[in-house]
Amino acid sequence: MSVSKGQFGRTEESKLIASFIDRAALDGSALLIAGEPGIGKTTLLNEAADAAAATGFRVLRSEGGEFEADIAFSGLNRALMPLLGTLDELSERHRDALTSALGLGHGSTPDLMVVGTAALSLLRQAAKTRALVLLVDDLQWLDRSSAEVLSFVARRLSGSKVGFLAAVRTETAGLFGRGTVPAHELRRLDDASASDLLGAWFPMLAPQVRTRVLAEAQGNPLALLELAGAASRRQEYPRAEVQGSLPPSHRVQALFASHVADLPTVTRTLLLLAVLDGTGELGVLRSSSGDAELLGLAPAERAGLVRVDEENRRLVFRHPLIRSGVIGISTAHERRHAHLALAEALVDQPERRGWHLAEATMEPDEEVAALLERVADGTLRKGDALVTMATLRRAAELSPRPADRARRLVRAAYIGRLKGDLRDVSRLLTEAQQADPASGESLEAAVAMSYLLLTDDGDIDAAHRLLVGAIERHAGCSDVVHGVLADALRTLLQVCWFGGRPELWKPLEAAITRLGPDLPDGLALYSGFYADPARVAAPALARLDAAIGSLHEVADPADIVGIVDSAFFLDRLGGCRQTLLQVVADGRAGDGNTSMHSALIALSIDDFLTGRWDEADGLLDELLRVSQALGYHMLWPAQHVQALLAAARGDFATAWALADEMSRWAEPRGMHTVRWYCHHARTLAALGQGDFEYAYLQATAISPPGTFASYVPHAVWVAMDLVEAAMHTNRQAEAAAHVTVMYDEGIAALSPRLALLTGASAAIAAPDNQADELFEAALALPGIDRWPFDLARVQLAYGARLRRAQSRVKAREHLSAALEVFRWLGALPWATRASNEIRATGRASSRGAALPPNRLTPQERQIAMLAAEGMTNKQIGERLKLSHRTVSSHLHRLYPKLGIATRSALNGALVNMQLPSTGHLSDDEGE
């Protein structure tokens, strides 16, 4: 029974659809229709299809299938099928990506972003001659890969004549498009509209039944019509079909199940085949049922449960709940028999056939297991690692021989180490070991287990032994050099870097030398960036820049991690940003969770260096939540950035506590690299407190003055810190020696930021008659505005030097510029120092008072008010769903904005905020 006999209570939605079509025809548009089952989402899609077609649009349709969600790109295939004849008009790269993703050919693993760009290009191209709208029903059941690609497309339709309209369950609407695609939630009908709808369809319904239907349906249109339809056949409420206080959608599903149960057996069988197939293709139904004419469908058609789409040769269920009802009344035996029939009908589609056989098979069967493993290969080529893991796990369950079972479980763990939940990886390896104790000797097992040790337990030495042994056993196997062995070497590279001890690097360097020309691309390059970035040659930098430039084309998460990690100490994370954001987006969508962890760390470091400190707070909070959800215990990279932020903002207690926490976790595990991260945070905190002696001790603990130690990449980051601390503690010789080695090693050539720090270090250590020229040269370097905190620190150092030389006007110029940046960042200790230096020039800071109240962000104002009420940081965090450290960071950032230094002064500052001394806006407020 369709709801299309007039829309009741949907005037607003009809206008919305008309507006959507108008926008799509002019400049592209995307819209989600969200709501509970039966609320009328499909009806609105049908209305949009009719309206679009009437205005000349080409209409494409697809839908999610609950039983096809494990087949990668199946939904995208249905959506783009009518356009595949124009693939040749795409660029070769885009054509190959779509061909591989849609299973039309074999190629390299497609990157989701490339597939998304290709799909967008195909749609835009088709819409050049005729506007186009793509309608997707049941978006929540779409396979993950298709959903990600369509999400990418939906956010980029501006400037096209393409519309994207999808129906989705309310609880999952926010996941699509990262919440950026406009969504409209369909509400239940009000009492008057519900009554009008019921009166239009069932005018003769008995009053007492009508009252009961209205009460039970609760404004759900489908529930109204189905419950009333069942009641009208006997003028009493259908108690047998629906019992208890169930939601309206459950009542309707139960009614649909009762309707299906009344159908002939042959009809129920056909419907079950159609539901389990998921595509609705009539050819598949004929082949699997043996009913060439599909005459058995007639009773279901007459009952209004299904219809045949003659144009697309598909069977269409009137509502998704009918499919659920078909499954609900079927037995396990009937489902297995249907899966087997479908498998026999799909001999030319191995992926779908493999899954149907897997569902039909109850006992171990190597033939089915081997087929599933081949299906997993195809799924991995499409880039869907999570479905690949699930497929391999099912193949392992069906494996008769323990060795085969273990091998498939190990492979699933190996694939899942960068894409899945670490706890799943651990369980898979444990099951493999139980099936076959020898499985741990494989290279794949070594890579997966060492990654687990590295990121979970943090046992560096165990991971190192495991990898070195496996690499030595398999190094002569040429068939794995460019596959698993490459991943093993990359993982060993990370282990060596985290370990931070020279002796750990020797086996890796020996393996690199031994492999020579067979070494996988980039490995020798990456190892140099990890081990000794201070001595990277110009040709290597050019290769890294080229790799970063083509990072968007890289599909392998391990390759992405290798390139990004190489960019860390060379200030090139900005060039990786778009790819990192895509990795995070994939992780939020459920694909690539552990890769998301690495991406969030890289983005937060880049945010700290480039002054996006508030954004860094949000990323770090998300990172800690993700880590907890995934069982990821290696938190020190996030704590390092948090400690830097706390130190820069003047929250020294938090900075020291985080550094101590990092040290306590890392030292027993042999992670010497973490020592450098701790020293880095302590150095910055000591500089902020003016404790230059302790800052010097911490900076030189990373690398002594006059040297850049090998295997200590952090030395390049604290070079200026060391020089500044040395000069403040009368260690001029040490400062000069460090400046000399900075020039000798060519640190300035590595990046604009390091060029700024090198030039500033030379100026800080120079005698008075040379300092001005060196400072001016450093501040004239191109590209340094990208690093506001470092730039402001250099301006502060220069201004202080000028003030001591009695060049007060010029000193105020640089000190005021530094103060403005420090206040903008919330770097309280440095802002205080700059303000004090300005006062020492004989003029008070023009911005020494509290910033106007509108400079507080809404979140800062909320935190300030809660803190003023006496709530602790932990209580505020629980109220606002923030970590207590993020609350602390916000408080320390807002203190200078209010002109205060302590929590106890908040009440008075907030009162003053709301009692301006004049009756007009200040210049800042007016702006």
Side-chain angles (χ1 to χ4, degrees):
M1 189 175 295
S2 173
V3 190
S4 59
K5 188 181 178 179
Q7 290 275 45
F8 293 86
R10 297 298 188 215
T11 303
E12 178 187 352
E13 282 74 18
S14 294
K15 291 178 180 177
L16 180 69
I17 293 300
S19 174
F20 161 78
I21 292 171
D22 289 342
R23 290 196 310 274
L26 291 173
D27 192 42
S29 186
L31 178 66
L32 298 181
I33 302 295
E36 66 181 20
I39 204 68
K41 303 185 296 295
T42 301
T43 300
L44 272 183
L45 287 189
N46 292 335
E47 179 181 332
D50 293 341
T55 55
F57 274 70
R58 182 174 189 175
V59 179
L60 305 181
R61 301 198 71 149
S62 186
E63 61 185 12
E66 191 174 2
F67 304 99
E68 209 182 14
D70 286 334
I71 299 178
F73 296 111
S74 55
L76 186 67
N77 195 314
R78 281 195 295 275
L80 300 183
M81 184 64 70
L83 304 181
L84 295 184
T86 62
L87 277 178
D88 288 340
E89 298 176 29
L90 297 179
S91 68
E92 181 180 359
R93 181 171 176 238
H94 286 163
R95 183 174 63 250
D96 290 347
L98 273 182
T99 298
S100 179
L102 301 181
L104 304 175
H106 297 291
S108 59
T109 302
D111 177 69
L112 274 179
M113 187 178 292
V114 179
V115 177
T117 306
L120 180 62
S121 298
L122 189 67
L123 290 167
R124 283 179 173 270
Q125 176 181 276
K128 285 180 180 178
T129 55
R130 181 183 176 190
L132 179 152
V133 63
L134 172 57
L135 308 176
V136 181
D137 206 353
D138 289 324
L139 187 63
Q140 72 279 353
W141 287 335
L142 210 62
D143 64 276
R144 185 184 297 103
S145 300
S146 296
E148 191 65 27
V149 168
L150 292 179
S151 166
F152 178 93
V153 168
R155 301 195 305 274
R156 292 166 174 82
L157 294 178
S158 179
S160 72
K161 292 185 178 181
V162 179
F164 175 86
L165 181 65
V168 63
R169 298 274 176 91
T170 302
E171 62 271 17
T172 58
L175 301 178
F176 184 81
R178 332 287 177 239
T180 61
V181 177
H184 176 81
E185 183 174 0
L186 276 184
R187 303 291 183 178
R188 293 181 180 181
L189 299 179
D190 58 34
D191 291 345
S193 297
S195 181
D196 289 345
L197 175 63
L198 206 56
W201 277 92
F202 300 99
M204 305 305 293
L205 202 62
Q208 68 273 20
V209 177
R210 176 189 178 86
T211 300
R212 181 71 185 274
V213 167
L214 286 168
E216 295 291 346
Q218 301 174 34
N220 182 293
L222 188 64
L224 280 166
L225 298 180
E226 294 300 328
L227 294 175
S232 67
R233 288 189 285 271
R234 55 193 170 211
Q235 285 299 303
E236 63 180 19
Y237 194 75
R239 301 174 188 274
E241 289 92 339
V242 185
Q243 299 176 359
S245 56
L246 294 173
S249 59
H250 289 204
R251 294 186 174 90
V252 175
Q253 181 176 326
L255 276 176
F256 282 146
S258 70
H259 296 335
V260 173
D262 290 339
L263 297 172
T265 301
V266 64
T267 305
R268 293 201 310 271
T269 299
L270 281 168
L271 295 183
L272 182 59
L273 287 168
V275 171
L276 296 179
D277 170 52
T279 68
E281 296 173 13
L282 297 182
V284 174
L285 277 183
R286 291 191 184 95
S287 300
S288 58
S289 67
D291 185 351
E293 300 297 326
L294 295 179
L295 299 177
L297 286 177
E301 290 181 88
R302 284 193 290 269
L305 299 174
V306 297
R307 64 178 178 83
V308 173
D309 181 348
E310 297 291 353
E311 181 180 355
N312 295 305
R313 309 302 299 158
R314 294 177 62 235
L315 185 70
V316 179
F317 284 86
R318 178 162 58 83
H319 196 276
L321 291 178
I322 300 174
R323 293 197 293 258
S324 301
V326 170
I327 294 296
I329 67 164
S330 66
T331 66
H333 173 77
E334 288 170 337
R335 291 193 295 274
R336 285 194 301 272
H337 184 78
H339 278 299
L340 187 59
L342 287 166
E344 291 173 354
L346 294 168
V347 290
D348 60 336
Q349 299 184 48
E351 186 172 359
R352 292 167 65 188
R353 180 172 183 266
W355 270 113
H356 285 302
L357 281 175
E359 294 297 324
T361 305
M362 296 183 64
E363 300 295 332
D365 185 318
E366 178 57 27
E367 184 178 349
V368 177
L371 175 59
L372 269 186
E373 189 168 12
R374 292 193 295 274
V375 168
D377 292 337
T379 304
L380 188 60
R381 280 194 296 272
K382 294 179 180 180
D384 198 328
L386 296 181
V387 173
T388 301
M389 287 177 65
T391 307
L392 285 169
R393 187 158 200 164
R394 180 58 177 150
E397 292 171 356
L398 294 174
S399 303
R401 291 184 292 274
D404 290 329
R405 172 178 169 80
R407 177 178 57 78
R408 287 160 179 154
L409 288 169
V410 163
R411 191 173 173 217
Y414 166 74
I415 291 168
R417 77 195 189 283
L418 294 178
K419 287 284 191 176
D421 188 320
L422 291 179
R423 289 166 296 197
D424 288 338
V425 173
S426 179
R427 283 191 287 267
L428 288 166
L429 290 173
T430 300
E431 291 176 23
Q433 186 72 15
Q434 291 169 348
D436 181 11
S439 64
E441 297 180 5
S442 74
L443 196 56
E444 287 178 324
V447 172
M449 178 57 76
S450 60
Y451 188 84
L452 197 63
L453 287 169
L454 188 65
T455 55
D456 186 9
D457 297 330
D459 192 334
I460 288 291
D461 292 324
H464 190 267
R465 284 193 303 271
L466 186 64
L467 279 169
V468 169
I471 289 169
E472 289 177 350
R473 287 195 302 272
H474 295 86
C477 304
S478 59
D479 59 324
V480 295
V481 164
H482 293 284
V484 185
L485 183 57
D487 285 338
L489 289 167
R490 275 189 291 251
T491 308
L492 181 57
L493 178 59
Q494 285 188 306
V495 170
C496 294
W497 182 54
F498 286 139
R501 289 171 272 152
E503 66 271 16
L504 296 176
W505 289 86
K506 298 188 186 313
L508 174 64
E509 291 166 348
I512 290 174
T513 301
R514 185 171 62 248
L515 286 168
D518 291 328
L519 190 69
D521 291 341
L523 257 175
L525 180 70
Y526 302 158
S527 66
F529 295 134
Y530 277 72
D532 208 356
R535 296 174 180 85
V536 170
L541 276 178
R543 288 177 60 196
L544 176 61
D545 289 335
I548 291 172
S550 58
L551 189 59
H552 62 282
E553 300 177 7
V554 179
D556 188 341
D559 284 332
I560 293 174
V561 169
I563 295 170
V564 170
D565 284 352
S566 299
F568 252 83
F569 292 101
L570 298 169
D571 299 325
R572 281 160 168 77
L573 289 175
C576 307
R577 193 168 186 87
Q578 287 306 311
T579 297
L580 290 170
L581 290 171
Q582 182 61 41
V583 171
V584 171
D586 291 344
R588 288 170 179 162
D591 184 26
N593 289 318
T594 47
S595 300
M596 176 186 179
H597 188 279
S598 299
L600 286 169
I601 292 169
L603 287 168
S604 63
I605 281 283
D606 188 53
D607 282 346
F608 172 72
L609 293 175
T610 56
R612 292 184 287 250
W613 291 3
D614 288 349
E615 180 178 306
D617 287 332
L619 292 173
L620 291 166
D621 279 343
E622 181 176 10
L623 173 58
L624 294 172
R625 289 195 303 271
V626 169
S627 298
Q628 183 177 12
L630 297 177
Y632 202 106
H633 298 149
M634 192 170 68
L635 303 179
W636 63 264
Q639 292 169 332
H640 168 241
V641 188
Q642 287 182 320
L644 293 179
L645 287 164
R649 289 164 169 160
D651 185 2
F652 300 120
T654 296
W656 298 121
L658 284 165
D660 291 344
E661 191 175 335
M662 291 161 59
S663 182
R664 283 194 299 270
W665 186 87
E667 287 297 334
R669 293 168 169 82
M671 282 197 174
H672 287 195
T673 290
V674 184
R675 290 180 183 173
W676 309 326
Y677 282 79
C678 294
H679 290 317
H680 183 198
R682 289 168 178 152
T683 298
L684 190 62
L687 289 173
Q689 289 181 299
D691 188 347
F692 295 103
E693 180 66 30
Y694 191 71
Y696 179 79
L697 294 175
Q698 290 298 308
T700 55
I702 295 174
S703 189
T707 64
F708 282 96
S710 294
Y711 311 116
V712 187
H714 237 94
V716 299
W717 272 8
V718 297
M720 190 182 81
D721 299 338
L722 189 156
V723 172
E724 183 180 3
M727 291 300 293
H728 276 282
T729 55
N730 295 315
R731 293 181 171 94
Q732 287 84 356
E734 288 85 349
H738 213 60
V739 170
T740 298
V741 77
M742 290 172 77
Y743 279 100
D744 288 346
E745 298 293 356
I747 301 301
L750 299 178
S751 77
R753 186 177 79 93
L754 293 175
L756 169 67
L757 299 186
T758 299
S761 296
I764 290 169
D768 289 341
N769 63 345
Q770 298 174 19
D772 280 17
E773 183 179 352
L774 290 169
F775 269 120
E776 292 290 348
L779 292 172
L781 290 167
I784 59 175
D785 290 344
R786 176 171 164 75
W787 322 100
F789 184 52
D790 290 309
L791 176 57
R793 284 183 59 193
V794 174
Q795 290 173 311
L796 172 60
Y798 187 22
R801 187 77 171 251
L802 289 167
R803 193 268 306 164
R804 291 194 296 273
Q806 302 302 309
S807 182
R808 296 180 177 180
V809 174
K810 193 173 182 181
R812 283 196 289 269
E813 175 188 339
H814 289 284
L815 291 170
S816 297
L819 177 60
E820 184 175 355
V821 172
F822 290 141
R823 282 184 166 167
W824 168 66
L825 290 171
L828 178 59
W830 279 267
T832 301
R833 192 176 303 164
S835 184
N836 290 339
E837 287 286 347
I838 292 173
R839 279 196 293 272
T841 68
R843 178 181 297 177
S845 168
S846 61
R847 291 176 177 264
L851 292 173
N854 64 350
R855 288 290 181 87
L856 288 188
T857 67
Q859 189 169 67
E860 285 173 343
R861 189 177 294 109
Q862 192 174 18
I863 289 172
M865 294 175 69
L866 293 174
E869 291 173 7
M871 293 180 68
T872 66
N873 290 357
K874 183 177 181 182
Q875 290 169 333
I876 296 171
E878 289 171 352
R879 170 80 65 86
L880 302 181
K881 294 183 170 50
L882 300 170
S883 74
H884 66 90
R885 284 178 177 137
T886 297
V887 173
S888 175
S889 296
H890 277 295
L891 285 170
H892 279 83
R893 187 160 62 257
L894 63 85
Y895 288 165
K897 295 183 179 183
L898 296 175
I900 62 176
T902 64
R903 195 185 194 103
S904 60
L906 273 173
N907 261 320
L910 291 173
V911 169
N912 291 336
M913 270 178 57
Q914 299 177 34
L915 295 172
S917 57
T918 63
H920 57 82
L921 293 174
S922 69
D923 291 342
D924 285 338
E925 288 173 303
E927 293 172 4

